[in-house]
Structures are given as structure tokens and as C-alpha cells.
Amino acid sequence: MKQKFSTIEDRSAALTEAGDSLVGLNAHINWESFRPQLERVHDKKRKSKAGAKPFDVVLMFKILILQQLHNLSDDKIEYQILDRLSFMRFLGLDFKQGVPDSKTIWLFRERLKNLNLTEILFAEFHTQLASLGYVAREGQMIDATFVEVPKQRNTREENKQIKAGELPEGWDKDEKKAIAKRRQKDIDARWTKKNSQSYYGYKNHVNGDQKHKLIQSYAVTEASVHDSQVFDELLDQTVDENGEKRPVYADSAYRSKEQEAKLSANNMESQICEKGAKNNPLTEEQKQSNRTKSKVRARVEHIFGAQAAMGGHFVRTLGLARAKVKIGMMNLVYNMVRLVQLITLDQKQNHGEVASIAA
């Protein structure tokens, strides 16, 4: 049956009825709580009061959320805001209001980078999660995934110099050609291999909560950095009401005698999978223990899977600083979407319990 809409409100109501996922984000997230930190974007002296007022910082932040959620470039998100009613409604825009262009969106993200705000915004959302009762519970799952970038067409000698922290010969000149080349080169991304497969780019290291599958902390590094090198900074040392710290789950790449000793000294239960050696294979008991641990550890793969669905394991930024913003936003957006899922599940469960009591 064809639907007819006499007003934009009717069409908007039909959009909600059809299951617009952005409604949940607006309903359950306190966007204004981010404003104090976001206002720092405009903390610079304007040469004059002439010209158009800058766009609202919360509006710009929500545009970056949309962009990450739907894996859109700056040009594409500008077009989609103009074109899609769901996007306009999420942003609180009407058809008479102006829309930030792609350059404005790029500049806003650059300010987040320059002010190192992404991790601060991530932490602010954790305050919201705690206020809603979604604090970290049970085990903490440590793991990492690759986030690739477009491969560079460099010579072997150029790659060797970049790896050594040097600019290849000719790249440092002030000529137009050299400047243009530098703008297109990512000198921070690195190659690495895992299971005979090569990757080029960065790594997203996360600590995921076993119960809620929310990201508790994260770190972004070059792809060549071994997982174990950021293990300590990801750990949650919080003590619960019983005076205990959450156990740690991870695959065997994180296990070493030194690491086990550190965890023991910090009163943290290690649930890190054991690894065998050529002349010292795992016993059947150890293999069974690993299988038990892996049932929990594998839950972190659900996080990476959800991010992959958002196109999050490939970025087109240049440099580590910009990759940190994009990957940090990916982790934040994942947590926002996951929060809505958790609230929805809890509401269904509570409704079912009420119905059961009434029956």
C-alpha cells in the first residue's frame, strides 16, 4: 500500500516507524556533555567579528559520528546531509538551514587532531556509560586489529629511509613537485606480516569488557608495533567492591614470563592463552585450558566485526596523528552504537519480566 504524507512531520514519523537507527543515538546519548571540550575548537583569536559565525561544535561532532557510522568521505557526508531526511533530523537541521561543506568538516577534524581531543571525548562518553550503569564487569579482553591505508608507491631505498625516520632524498625540497609529493605520502604507516599475510598501515589495540563488549581503552600505533608493547597501558587497574581487579584475557602473543610476573605483582588474574614451543608442546590439559579462555577472549572479535561493518578497518588519512583521530572516532562510535543495543536489550528483558509477573 502506497503511503501518503501531507506534512514533513508525517514523513518523519514514518521514518521512525521504519526503524531509523539514529533515533536511538539521539534518545540515549547526552550530546551536550561533549560541548565543554568541543568548544576548545574555537579557542583561538578571531582577527575580526566580520564574516559568518562558525557552525555549532556539537553539530560538527555529530557530523563526524555520522561520517564514521556510514563510512563516508567529507564530500559524501556533505551530500548525504543535503539529501537524507534521517541525517538532517539527527543533526537537528531543517531545510532552511545551511550545511557545513566538506572543507569545514575537514578543518573541524583537524582541530580535534591538533588539540588531541579524540581520547578526551572517548573518556567523556565513558562517564556517560558509568552513569547509565554500564561500567566494566567481569574480564577484560586485550587484542588488536589492523587498520590499513592506501599502499605507497615508493622505491625500496625510499622505504628504507622512511623506516629509519628520514625523508627520502628530494622529498625535503621546497619545490612545488616535492611539496605536492609530501602531501600524498604517509611516512608513519608501516608494513608487517601476520600468518604470511602482509598489512600496511596502523593497529587499533583495545581493551574490551567481557560482559558488555564495550571498549574500555584503546591505543593506536603503526602496524609493525607488536601487540605486547602496548599491553600495560591498556590494562584496567580498577579495584571492584570486593577489592579485586578484573581478570585479563588475551591470545598467546601477549604471554611471556615477564608479563605473567607483572600481572601477578599487580594482583591481576591471568587468563592469557599459553603457547607451546618446538620441543615443548602444550599438554592436553593446557590445550583444554586455552579453549576455555578463548571462549571469552573471542568475544573481542565481535567488536572488530562490528567496526569492519562500518568500513573501519581501512582509512584514507595520512599520518599517525590523523589515523588516531579516525580510529579513535571509530572506537567511540562503536561504543555509542553498542550502548543503544544494550539499552534496547535491557528494555526488552525488563518488559518480558514485567509481562511474566503480570501473567
Side-chain angles (χ1 to χ4, degrees), residues 111-154:
R111 286 292 290 162
L112 294 189
K113 179 199 76 176
N114 295 337
L115 293 167
N116 295 315
L117 280 181
T118 315
E119 289 187 21
I120 294 172
L121 297 169
F122 182 88
E124 167 57 34
F125 189 60
H126 259 279
T127 303
Q128 285 194 44
L129 290 172
S131 69
L132 293 168
Y134 295 102
V135 294
R137 299 183 188 280
E138 301 178 13
Q140 46 187 313
M141 309 174 296
I142 311 293
D143 207 348
T145 189
F146 294 108
V147 180
E148 297 189 86
V149 299
K151 295 177 176 60
Q152 305 284 296
R153 298 182 182 277
N154 303 326

mmCIF file of all heavy atoms in Angstrom, residues 111-154:
data_model
loop_
_atom_site.group_PDB
_atom_site.id
_atom_site.type_symbol
_atom_site.label_atom_id
_atom_site.label_comp_id
_atom_site.label_asym_id
_atom_site.label_seq_id
_atom_site.Cartn_x
_atom_site.Cartn_y
_atom_site.Cartn_z
ATOM 1 N N ARG A 111 41.179 20.229 13.794
ATOM 2 C CA ARG A 111 41.263 20.868 15.103
ATOM 3 C C ARG A 111 41.215 19.816 16.216
ATOM 4 O O ARG A 111 41.916 19.927 17.222
ATOM 5 C CB ARG A 111 40.124 21.882 15.287
ATOM 6 C CG ARG A 111 40.296 23.153 14.489
ATOM 7 C CD ARG A 111 41.446 23.990 14.998
ATOM 8 N NE ARG A 111 41.162 24.591 16.303
ATOM 9 C CZ ARG A 111 42.094 25.073 17.117
ATOM 10 N NH1 ARG A 111 43.377 24.994 16.796
ATOM 11 N NH2 ARG A 111 41.749 25.623 18.276
ATOM 12 N N LEU A 112 40.387 18.782 16.048
ATOM 13 C CA LEU A 112 40.372 17.691 17.024
ATOM 14 C C LEU A 112 41.751 17.055 17.115
ATOM 15 O O LEU A 112 42.231 16.722 18.207
ATOM 16 C CB LEU A 112 39.341 16.627 16.634
ATOM 17 C CG LEU A 112 37.863 16.985 16.654
ATOM 18 C CD1 LEU A 112 37.020 15.730 16.455
ATOM 19 C CD2 LEU A 112 37.448 17.704 17.927
ATOM 20 N N LYS A 113 42.379 16.899 15.953
ATOM 21 C CA LYS A 113 43.723 16.310 15.909
ATOM 22 C C LYS A 113 44.725 17.204 16.620
ATOM 23 O O LYS A 113 45.483 16.752 17.488
ATOM 24 C CB LYS A 113 44.155 16.108 14.453
ATOM 25 C CG LYS A 113 45.567 15.527 14.285
ATOM 26 C CD LYS A 113 46.108 15.783 12.891
ATOM 27 C CE LYS A 113 46.545 17.235 12.758
ATOM 28 N NZ LYS A 113 47.178 17.521 11.449
ATOM 29 N N ASN A 114 44.738 18.469 16.292
ATOM 30 C CA ASN A 114 45.728 19.394 16.846
ATOM 31 C C ASN A 114 45.579 19.569 18.357
ATOM 32 O O ASN A 114 46.557 19.829 19.064
ATOM 33 C CB ASN A 114 45.624 20.759 16.157
ATOM 34 C CG ASN A 114 45.985 20.685 14.680
ATOM 35 O OD1 ASN A 114 46.692 19.768 14.250
ATOM 36 N ND2 ASN A 114 45.502 21.625 13.893
ATOM 37 N N LEU A 115 44.351 19.434 18.842
ATOM 38 C CA LEU A 115 44.085 19.601 20.275
ATOM 39 C C LEU A 115 44.080 18.271 21.034
ATOM 40 O O LEU A 115 43.845 18.246 22.245
ATOM 41 C CB LEU A 115 42.729 20.297 20.474
ATOM 42 C CG LEU A 115 42.649 21.749 19.990
ATOM 43 C CD1 LEU A 115 41.195 22.212 19.944
ATOM 44 C CD2 LEU A 115 43.479 22.662 20.883
ATOM 45 N N ASN A 116 44.332 17.165 20.321
ATOM 46 C CA ASN A 116 44.315 15.828 20.939
ATOM 47 C C ASN A 116 43.018 15.575 21.713
ATOM 48 O O ASN A 116 43.029 15.088 22.853
ATOM 49 C CB ASN A 116 45.519 15.660 21.883
ATOM 50 C CG ASN A 116 46.837 15.696 21.157
ATOM 51 O OD1 ASN A 116 47.003 15.061 20.118
ATOM 52 N ND2 ASN A 116 47.782 16.451 21.680
ATOM 53 N N LEU A 117 41.891 15.904 21.088
ATOM 54 C CA LEU A 117 40.607 15.829 21.771
ATOM 55 C C LEU A 117 39.918 14.466 21.680
ATOM 56 O O LEU A 117 39.019 14.184 22.467
ATOM 57 C CB LEU A 117 39.650 16.894 21.212
ATOM 58 C CG LEU A 117 39.826 18.320 21.725
ATOM 59 C CD1 LEU A 117 38.786 19.241 21.094
ATOM 60 C CD2 LEU A 117 39.715 18.365 23.242
ATOM 61 N N THR A 118 40.323 13.654 20.729
ATOM 62 C CA THR A 118 39.580 12.408 20.494
ATOM 63 C C THR A 118 39.540 11.515 21.727
ATOM 64 O O THR A 118 38.485 11.005 22.115
ATOM 65 C CB THR A 118 40.167 11.632 19.302
ATOM 66 O OG1 THR A 118 40.408 12.533 18.227
ATOM 67 C CG2 THR A 118 39.212 10.550 18.834
ATOM 68 N N GLU A 119 40.686 11.317 22.376
ATOM 69 C CA GLU A 119 40.725 10.466 23.561
ATOM 70 C C GLU A 119 39.946 11.099 24.715
ATOM 71 O O GLU A 119 39.353 10.386 25.536
ATOM 72 C CB GLU A 119 42.174 10.200 23.969
ATOM 73 C CG GLU A 119 42.903 9.276 22.995
ATOM 74 C CD GLU A 119 44.291 8.889 23.487
ATOM 75 O OE1 GLU A 119 44.538 8.982 24.715
ATOM 76 O OE2 GLU A 119 45.118 8.489 22.661
ATOM 77 N N ILE A 120 39.942 12.426 24.779
ATOM 78 C CA ILE A 120 39.193 13.130 25.836
ATOM 79 C C ILE A 120 37.690 12.928 25.629
ATOM 80 O O ILE A 120 36.941 12.695 26.585
ATOM 81 C CB ILE A 120 39.550 14.630 25.832
ATOM 82 C CG1 ILE A 120 41.020 14.803 26.231
ATOM 83 C CG2 ILE A 120 38.647 15.410 26.779
ATOM 84 C CD1 ILE A 120 41.547 16.210 26.084
ATOM 85 N N LEU A 121 37.243 13.000 24.376
ATOM 86 C CA LEU A 121 35.828 12.770 24.058
ATOM 87 C C LEU A 121 35.444 11.319 24.338
ATOM 88 O O LEU A 121 34.343 11.033 24.817
ATOM 89 C CB LEU A 121 35.556 13.127 22.600
ATOM 90 C CG LEU A 121 35.775 14.601 22.221
ATOM 91 C CD1 LEU A 121 35.725 14.777 20.706
ATOM 92 C CD2 LEU A 121 34.746 15.498 22.896
ATOM 93 N N PHE A 122 36.363 10.400 24.046
ATOM 94 C CA PHE A 122 36.144 8.977 24.334
ATOM 95 C C PHE A 122 35.954 8.784 25.836
ATOM 96 O O PHE A 122 35.051 8.061 26.278
ATOM 97 C CB PHE A 122 37.336 8.166 23.828
ATOM 98 C CG PHE A 122 37.205 6.677 24.017
ATOM 99 C CD1 PHE A 122 36.587 5.894 23.047
ATOM 100 C CD2 PHE A 122 37.696 6.056 25.160
ATOM 101 C CE1 PHE A 122 36.456 4.514 23.221
ATOM 102 C CE2 PHE A 122 37.576 4.678 25.340
ATOM 103 C CZ PHE A 122 36.952 3.916 24.364
ATOM 104 N N ALA A 123 36.799 9.442 26.641
ATOM 105 C CA ALA A 123 36.709 9.331 28.099
ATOM 106 C C ALA A 123 35.415 9.954 28.621
ATOM 107 O O ALA A 123 34.797 9.436 29.564
ATOM 108 C CB ALA A 123 37.915 10.007 28.744
ATOM 109 N N GLU A 124 34.978 11.064 28.005
ATOM 110 C CA GLU A 124 33.726 11.709 28.409
ATOM 111 C C GLU A 124 32.551 10.765 28.209
ATOM 112 O O GLU A 124 31.648 10.698 29.041
ATOM 113 C CB GLU A 124 33.522 12.992 27.598
ATOM 114 C CG GLU A 124 32.119 13.596 27.681
ATOM 115 C CD GLU A 124 31.670 13.900 29.100
ATOM 116 O OE1 GLU A 124 32.514 14.276 29.934
ATOM 117 O OE2 GLU A 124 30.468 13.732 29.381
ATOM 118 N N PHE A 125 32.571 10.019 27.120
ATOM 119 C CA PHE A 125 31.466 9.089 26.890
ATOM 120 C C PHE A 125 31.480 7.971 27.917
ATOM 121 O O PHE A 125 30.424 7.440 28.285
ATOM 122 C CB PHE A 125 31.515 8.516 25.474
ATOM 123 C CG PHE A 125 30.290 7.718 25.118
ATOM 124 C CD1 PHE A 125 29.033 8.306 25.121
ATOM 125 C CD2 PHE A 125 30.386 6.367 24.809
ATOM 126 C CE1 PHE A 125 27.888 7.570 24.811
ATOM 127 C CE2 PHE A 125 29.249 5.629 24.494
ATOM 128 C CZ PHE A 125 28.004 6.233 24.507
ATOM 129 N N HIS A 126 32.663 7.595 28.403
ATOM 130 C CA HIS A 126 32.732 6.575 29.452
ATOM 131 C C HIS A 126 32.062 7.046 30.733
ATOM 132 O O HIS A 126 31.489 6.238 31.474
ATOM 133 C CB HIS A 126 34.185 6.173 29.717
ATOM 134 C CG HIS A 126 34.545 4.883 29.063
ATOM 135 N ND1 HIS A 126 34.227 3.661 29.605
ATOM 136 C CD2 HIS A 126 35.135 4.616 27.879
ATOM 137 C CE1 HIS A 126 34.623 2.701 28.801
ATOM 138 N NE2 HIS A 126 35.177 3.258 27.738
ATOM 139 N N THR A 127 32.115 8.345 30.977
ATOM 140 C CA THR A 127 31.412 8.903 32.131
ATOM 141 C C THR A 127 29.911 8.683 31.963
ATOM 142 O O THR A 127 29.209 8.338 32.924
ATOM 143 C CB THR A 127 31.709 10.411 32.271
ATOM 144 O OG1 THR A 127 33.123 10.598 32.386
ATOM 145 C CG2 THR A 127 31.017 10.998 33.493
ATOM 146 N N GLN A 128 29.422 8.885 30.744
ATOM 147 C CA GLN A 128 28.001 8.631 30.463
ATOM 148 C C GLN A 128 27.662 7.153 30.668
ATOM 149 O O GLN A 128 26.633 6.814 31.255
ATOM 150 C CB GLN A 128 27.660 9.043 29.028
ATOM 151 C CG GLN A 128 27.552 10.531 28.808
ATOM 152 C CD GLN A 128 26.879 10.848 27.476
ATOM 153 O OE1 GLN A 128 25.876 10.253 27.104
ATOM 154 N NE2 GLN A 128 27.454 11.803 26.758
ATOM 155 N N LEU A 129 28.519 6.280 30.158
ATOM 156 C CA LEU A 129 28.277 4.838 30.290
ATOM 157 C C LEU A 129 28.163 4.444 31.758
ATOM 158 O O LEU A 129 27.272 3.683 32.147
ATOM 159 C CB LEU A 129 29.409 4.053 29.624
ATOM 160 C CG LEU A 129 29.491 4.108 28.099
ATOM 161 C CD1 LEU A 129 30.772 3.452 27.609
ATOM 162 C CD2 LEU A 129 28.283 3.437 27.468
ATOM 163 N N ALA A 130 29.059 4.983 32.577
ATOM 164 C CA ALA A 130 29.045 4.663 34.012
ATOM 165 C C ALA A 130 27.768 5.179 34.668
ATOM 166 O O ALA A 130 27.166 4.493 35.507
ATOM 167 C CB ALA A 130 30.269 5.267 34.685
ATOM 168 N N SER A 131 27.332 6.386 34.273
ATOM 169 C CA SER A 131 26.124 6.965 34.868
ATOM 170 C C SER A 131 24.880 6.159 34.508
ATOM 171 O O SER A 131 23.879 6.172 35.233
ATOM 172 C CB SER A 131 25.945 8.414 34.412
ATOM 173 O OG SER A 131 25.608 8.486 33.029
ATOM 174 N N LEU A 132 24.940 5.434 33.388
ATOM 175 C CA LEU A 132 23.813 4.608 32.955
ATOM 176 C C LEU A 132 23.915 3.164 33.475
ATOM 177 O O LEU A 132 23.061 2.327 33.181
ATOM 178 C CB LEU A 132 23.735 4.602 31.423
ATOM 179 C CG LEU A 132 23.374 5.948 30.776
ATOM 180 C CD1 LEU A 132 23.613 5.906 29.272
ATOM 181 C CD2 LEU A 132 21.912 6.315 31.060
ATOM 182 N N GLY A 133 24.972 2.896 34.228
ATOM 183 C CA GLY A 133 25.130 1.571 34.827
ATOM 184 C C GLY A 133 25.948 0.596 34.006
ATOM 185 O O GLY A 133 26.045 -0.589 34.365
ATOM 186 N N TYR A 134 26.559 1.068 32.918
ATOM 187 C CA TYR A 134 27.328 0.153 32.061
ATOM 188 C C TYR A 134 28.819 0.273 32.344
ATOM 189 O O TYR A 134 29.620 0.591 31.465
ATOM 190 C CB TYR A 134 27.012 0.423 30.585
ATOM 191 C CG TYR A 134 25.583 0.103 30.236
ATOM 192 C CD1 TYR A 134 24.643 1.120 30.102
ATOM 193 C CD2 TYR A 134 25.165 -1.206 30.092
ATOM 194 C CE1 TYR A 134 23.314 0.831 29.812
ATOM 195 C CE2 TYR A 134 23.836 -1.512 29.806
ATOM 196 C CZ TYR A 134 22.925 -0.482 29.667
ATOM 197 O OH TYR A 134 21.615 -0.774 29.385
ATOM 198 N N VAL A 135 29.172 0.011 33.596
ATOM 199 C CA VAL A 135 30.576 0.007 33.986
ATOM 200 C C VAL A 135 31.182 -1.342 33.613
ATOM 201 O O VAL A 135 30.466 -2.316 33.401
ATOM 202 C CB VAL A 135 30.735 0.275 35.495
ATOM 203 C CG1 VAL A 135 30.287 1.685 35.838
ATOM 204 C CG2 VAL A 135 29.945 -0.746 36.310
ATOM 205 N N ALA A 136 32.503 -1.366 33.560
ATOM 206 C CA ALA A 136 33.190 -2.599 33.176
ATOM 207 C C ALA A 136 32.949 -3.692 34.202
ATOM 208 O O ALA A 136 33.064 -3.457 35.410
ATOM 209 C CB ALA A 136 34.685 -2.325 33.035
ATOM 210 N N ARG A 137 32.586 -4.881 33.721
ATOM 211 C CA ARG A 137 32.345 -6.015 34.610
ATOM 212 C C ARG A 137 33.016 -7.268 34.048
ATOM 213 O O ARG A 137 33.249 -7.364 32.852
ATOM 214 C CB ARG A 137 30.840 -6.272 34.767
ATOM 215 C CG ARG A 137 30.082 -5.091 35.383
ATOM 216 C CD ARG A 137 28.617 -5.451 35.574
ATOM 217 N NE ARG A 137 27.827 -4.294 35.974
ATOM 218 C CZ ARG A 137 27.771 -3.811 37.203
ATOM 219 N NH1 ARG A 137 28.465 -4.394 38.151
ATOM 220 N NH2 ARG A 137 27.027 -2.757 37.487
ATOM 221 N N GLU A 138 33.317 -8.181 34.936
ATOM 222 C CA GLU A 138 33.922 -9.464 34.564
ATOM 223 C C GLU A 138 35.291 -9.238 33.934
ATOM 224 O O GLU A 138 36.030 -8.354 34.342
ATOM 225 C CB GLU A 138 32.957 -10.263 33.678
ATOM 226 C CG GLU A 138 31.623 -10.539 34.363
ATOM 227 C CD GLU A 138 30.636 -11.288 33.491
ATOM 228 O OE1 GLU A 138 31.027 -11.821 32.444
ATOM 229 O OE2 GLU A 138 29.449 -11.335 33.865
ATOM 230 N N GLY A 139 35.652 -10.007 32.901
ATOM 231 C CA GLY A 139 37.009 -9.948 32.376
ATOM 232 C C GLY A 139 37.275 -8.785 31.443
ATOM 233 O O GLY A 139 36.357 -8.169 30.902
ATOM 234 N N GLN A 140 38.571 -8.493 31.255
ATOM 235 C CA GLN A 140 38.985 -7.501 30.260
ATOM 236 C C GLN A 140 39.725 -8.230 29.141
ATOM 237 O O GLN A 140 40.631 -9.019 29.394
ATOM 238 C CB GLN A 140 39.843 -6.423 30.893
ATOM 239 C CG GLN A 140 40.962 -6.888 31.821
ATOM 240 C CD GLN A 140 41.640 -5.731 32.526
ATOM 241 O OE1 GLN A 140 41.994 -4.719 31.923
ATOM 242 N NE2 GLN A 140 41.831 -5.876 33.831
ATOM 243 N N MET A 141 39.291 -7.997 27.913
ATOM 244 C CA MET A 141 39.808 -8.722 26.752
ATOM 245 C C MET A 141 40.730 -7.797 25.962
ATOM 246 O O MET A 141 40.307 -6.759 25.452
ATOM 247 C CB MET A 141 38.653 -9.189 25.870
ATOM 248 C CG MET A 141 37.565 -9.951 26.631
ATOM 249 S SD MET A 141 36.116 -10.335 25.604
ATOM 250 C CE MET A 141 35.485 -8.696 25.230
ATOM 251 N N ILE A 142 42.009 -8.178 25.851
ATOM 252 C CA ILE A 142 43.003 -7.368 25.144
ATOM 253 C C ILE A 142 43.269 -7.978 23.774
ATOM 254 O O ILE A 142 43.527 -9.174 23.659
ATOM 255 C CB ILE A 142 44.329 -7.295 25.932
ATOM 256 C CG1 ILE A 142 44.093 -6.939 27.393
ATOM 257 C CG2 ILE A 142 45.285 -6.316 25.263
ATOM 258 C CD1 ILE A 142 43.570 -5.558 27.635
ATOM 259 N N ASP A 143 43.204 -7.156 22.743
ATOM 260 C CA ASP A 143 43.504 -7.643 21.396
ATOM 261 C C ASP A 143 43.756 -6.441 20.481
ATOM 262 O O ASP A 143 43.575 -5.283 20.891
ATOM 263 C CB ASP A 143 42.358 -8.495 20.848
ATOM 264 C CG ASP A 143 42.845 -9.530 19.828
ATOM 265 O OD1 ASP A 143 44.008 -9.430 19.393
ATOM 266 O OD2 ASP A 143 42.060 -10.420 19.465
ATOM 267 N N ALA A 144 44.160 -6.725 19.256
ATOM 268 C CA ALA A 144 44.448 -5.656 18.294
ATOM 269 C C ALA A 144 44.021 -6.090 16.901
ATOM 270 O O ALA A 144 43.959 -7.293 16.602
ATOM 271 C CB ALA A 144 45.935 -5.313 18.299
ATOM 272 N N THR A 145 43.717 -5.124 16.068
ATOM 273 C CA THR A 145 43.373 -5.406 14.671
ATOM 274 C C THR A 145 44.071 -4.395 13.780
ATOM 275 O O THR A 145 44.390 -3.277 14.197
ATOM 276 C CB THR A 145 41.844 -5.344 14.451
ATOM 277 O OG1 THR A 145 41.538 -5.835 13.139
ATOM 278 C CG2 THR A 145 41.311 -3.924 14.576
ATOM 279 N N PHE A 146 44.326 -4.793 12.542
ATOM 280 C CA PHE A 146 44.984 -3.896 11.590
ATOM 281 C C PHE A 146 43.984 -2.916 10.994
ATOM 282 O O PHE A 146 42.830 -3.261 10.739
ATOM 283 C CB PHE A 146 45.638 -4.696 10.456
ATOM 284 C CG PHE A 146 46.783 -5.559 10.904
ATOM 285 C CD1 PHE A 146 46.660 -6.938 10.956
ATOM 286 C CD2 PHE A 146 47.989 -4.983 11.277
ATOM 287 C CE1 PHE A 146 47.709 -7.738 11.378
ATOM 288 C CE2 PHE A 146 49.052 -5.771 11.708
ATOM 289 C CZ PHE A 146 48.912 -7.155 11.755
ATOM 290 N N VAL A 147 44.434 -1.708 10.809
ATOM 291 C CA VAL A 147 43.668 -0.692 10.081
ATOM 292 C C VAL A 147 44.564 -0.253 8.936
ATOM 293 O O VAL A 147 45.561 0.440 9.138
ATOM 294 C CB VAL A 147 43.303 0.506 10.979
ATOM 295 C CG1 VAL A 147 42.515 1.540 10.170
ATOM 296 C CG2 VAL A 147 42.482 0.044 12.176
ATOM 297 N N GLU A 148 44.220 -0.680 7.732
ATOM 298 C CA GLU A 148 45.099 -0.440 6.592
ATOM 299 C C GLU A 148 44.853 0.920 5.945
ATOM 300 O O GLU A 148 43.792 1.534 6.118
ATOM 301 C CB GLU A 148 44.923 -1.559 5.561
ATOM 302 C CG GLU A 148 45.329 -2.932 6.116
ATOM 303 C CD GLU A 148 45.358 -3.999 5.044
ATOM 304 O OE1 GLU A 148 46.404 -4.139 4.373
ATOM 305 O OE2 GLU A 148 44.328 -4.679 4.876
ATOM 306 N N VAL A 149 45.850 1.372 5.214
ATOM 307 C CA VAL A 149 45.776 2.631 4.463
ATOM 308 C C VAL A 149 46.211 2.354 3.033
ATOM 309 O O VAL A 149 46.782 1.299 2.747
ATOM 310 C CB VAL A 149 46.684 3.714 5.097
ATOM 311 C CG1 VAL A 149 46.249 4.028 6.519
ATOM 312 C CG2 VAL A 149 48.155 3.290 5.065
ATOM 313 N N PRO A 150 45.933 3.273 2.102
ATOM 314 C CA PRO A 150 46.369 3.047 0.713
ATOM 315 C C PRO A 150 47.871 2.801 0.645
ATOM 316 O O PRO A 150 48.658 3.505 1.289
ATOM 317 C CB PRO A 150 45.985 4.357 0.012
ATOM 318 C CG PRO A 150 44.846 4.891 0.813
ATOM 319 C CD PRO A 150 45.151 4.525 2.230
ATOM 320 N N LYS A 151 48.265 1.802 -0.108
ATOM 321 C CA LYS A 151 49.683 1.444 -0.224
ATOM 322 C C LYS A 151 50.459 2.520 -0.986
ATOM 323 O O LYS A 151 49.966 3.091 -1.949
ATOM 324 C CB LYS A 151 49.825 0.084 -0.914
ATOM 325 C CG LYS A 151 49.233 -1.055 -0.096
ATOM 326 C CD LYS A 151 49.321 -2.374 -0.821
ATOM 327 C CE LYS A 151 48.820 -3.509 0.058
ATOM 328 N NZ LYS A 151 47.426 -3.353 0.463
ATOM 329 N N GLN A 152 51.665 2.789 -0.520
ATOM 330 C CA GLN A 152 52.517 3.814 -1.114
ATOM 331 C C GLN A 152 53.361 3.221 -2.252
ATOM 332 O O GLN A 152 53.836 2.091 -2.155
ATOM 333 C CB GLN A 152 53.450 4.401 -0.046
ATOM 334 C CG GLN A 152 52.722 4.941 1.175
ATOM 335 C CD GLN A 152 52.066 6.275 0.916
ATOM 336 O OE1 GLN A 152 52.721 7.263 0.645
ATOM 337 N NE2 GLN A 152 50.749 6.296 0.994
ATOM 338 N N ARG A 153 53.554 4.018 -3.286
ATOM 339 C CA ARG A 153 54.393 3.568 -4.408
ATOM 340 C C ARG A 153 55.789 4.179 -4.247
ATOM 341 O O ARG A 153 56.170 5.113 -4.953
ATOM 342 C CB ARG A 153 53.766 3.987 -5.743
ATOM 343 C CG ARG A 153 52.406 3.353 -5.974
ATOM 344 C CD ARG A 153 51.816 3.752 -7.322
ATOM 345 N NE ARG A 153 50.496 3.166 -7.515
ATOM 346 C CZ ARG A 153 50.263 1.935 -7.946
ATOM 347 N NH1 ARG A 153 51.276 1.137 -8.229
ATOM 348 N NH2 ARG A 153 49.028 1.484 -8.089
ATOM 349 N N ASN A 154 56.524 3.633 -3.285
ATOM 350 C CA ASN A 154 57.880 4.109 -3.018
ATOM 351 C C ASN A 154 58.902 3.092 -3.499
ATOM 352 O O ASN A 154 58.606 1.897 -3.598
ATOM 353 C CB ASN A 154 58.080 4.325 -1.509
ATOM 354 C CG ASN A 154 57.071 5.287 -0.926
ATOM 355 O OD1 ASN A 154 56.657 6.237 -1.581
ATOM 356 N ND2 ASN A 154 56.683 5.054 0.322
#
